[in-house]
Amino acid sequence: MNFWTLFEVSTFELAFKGLLVGILASAPMGPVGILCIQRTLQKGRSYGLVTGAGAALSDIIYALITGLGMSFVMDFINNEQTLFWFKLAGSIMLFVFGLYMFRTDPRKCFRPKAKKKGTLAHNFVTAFLVTFSNPLIIFLFTALFALLTFVVPEHLFEQCVGYTSIVVGAMLWWLGLTYVIDKMRNNFGLRGIHVLNRTVGTVVLIVSVAYALMTLFHLSLY
């Protein structure tokens, strides 16, 4: 009998996991994160927000591609032992990503002030293209999906809720980020971006270690 047909799936659980994936995938201060902060400071919060929305659209496309690919792999996982190693590998991948974030200086991506604001639609499209041009995000989604056991075949409705929650989580991050940047625009400079990226990197490292320990000792939040 297929292991996944017996796997208890909570819609609320996958919604929560989706929110977590959306936030963690959006939080790193890569090119689009810097672009969002820069546009918020130079053009206003609405421009920063549509920049985040463009990134969120790209993220959900890559999340769907990752989930579709993993669903074929997960169909062959018919026992808890294999799932254990799959989740442990996800923890290690997430730890490496968090370490990379912590050591990277995002201020190098900061660009000179643009001469024109451009339309909101133009800012949305450019942010989408900047994010979509980096397919390495698939590795982050693979790590998060494996770690959280997010891809659960044969549970279509719950998965749809989960993927929708990824978009919601991403937009919650961009809403919060642009709000903070807008309120602190007079005090938030290049050093603030560096501190923010190190903070996010530290959080990712802690989460990866925590989930690795939970996997090793067979603990669960649910």
Side-chain angles (χ1 to χ4, degrees), residues 83-102:
L83 184 61
F84 167 83
W85 290 110
F86 202 64
K87 293 175 70 173
L88 191 59
S91 299
I92 295 171
M93 290 174 64
L94 191 62
F95 181 86
V96 172
F97 184 78
L99 189 62
Y100 173 79
M101 285 172 53
F102 186 85

Side-chain angles (χ1 to χ4, degrees), residues 26 36 83 86-87 143 149 166-167 170 183 215:
S26 302
C36 177
L83 184 61
F86 202 64
K87 293 175 70 173
T149 322
I166 291 178
V167 179
K183 292 299 182 182
T215 301

Side-chain angles (χ1 to χ4, degrees), residues 7-17 155 158 161 222:
F7 192 81
E8 291 294 330
V9 178
S10 163
T11 304
F12 175 79
E13 179 181 331
L14 276 185
F16 175 76
K17 289 179 178 179
H155 293 275
E158 290 82 359
V161 172
Y222 310 101

Side-chain angles (χ1 to χ4, degrees), residues 54-202:
L57 176 59
S58 175
D59 284 346
I60 192 58
I61 292 175
Y62 276 127
L64 288 169
I65 293 172
T66 305
L68 181 62
M70 289 184 67
S71 64
F72 291 109
V73 177
M74 302 274 289
D75 281 336
F76 294 100
I77 300 176
N78 291 314
N79 61 77
E80 294 186 13
Q81 185 66 25
T82 308
L83 184 61
F84 167 83
W85 290 110
F86 202 64
K87 293 175 70 173
L88 191 59
S91 299
I92 295 171
M93 290 174 64
L94 191 62
F95 181 86
V96 172
F97 184 78
L99 189 62
Y100 173 79
M101 285 172 53
F102 186 85
R103 293 173 58 87
T104 301
D105 188 351
R107 295 174 293 185
K108 295 178 181 179
C109 300
F110 208 82
R111 302 173 181 177
K113 184 176 181 180
K115 295 180 179 179
K116 297 181 180 180
K117 283 187 175 182
T119 63
L120 291 175
H122 176 265
N123 282 260
F124 174 87
V125 172
T126 53
F128 169 79
L129 293 175
V130 167
T131 310
F132 198 71
S133 65
N134 181 24
L136 294 178
I137 189 69
I138 287 179
F139 290 102
L140 176 58
F141 279 122
T142 300
L144 291 171
F145 285 5
L147 187 64
L148 299 173
T149 322
F150 182 80
V151 179
V152 186
E154 302 182 22
H155 293 275
L156 181 61
F157 174 74
E158 290 82 359
Q159 285 284 200
C160 289
V161 172
Y163 284 116
T164 302
S165 298
I166 291 178
V167 179
V168 175
M171 289 311 301
L172 284 175
W173 169 260
W174 297 119
L175 280 166
L177 180 64
T178 54
Y179 176 82
V180 171
I181 300 303
D182 189 55
K183 292 299 182 182
M184 298 178 60
R185 61 171 54 250
N186 295 325
N187 302 310
F188 196 92
L190 293 176
R191 177 171 174 76
I193 296 174
H194 187 55
V195 171
L196 179 60
N197 199 58
R198 285 209 158 192
T199 302
V200 173
T202 301

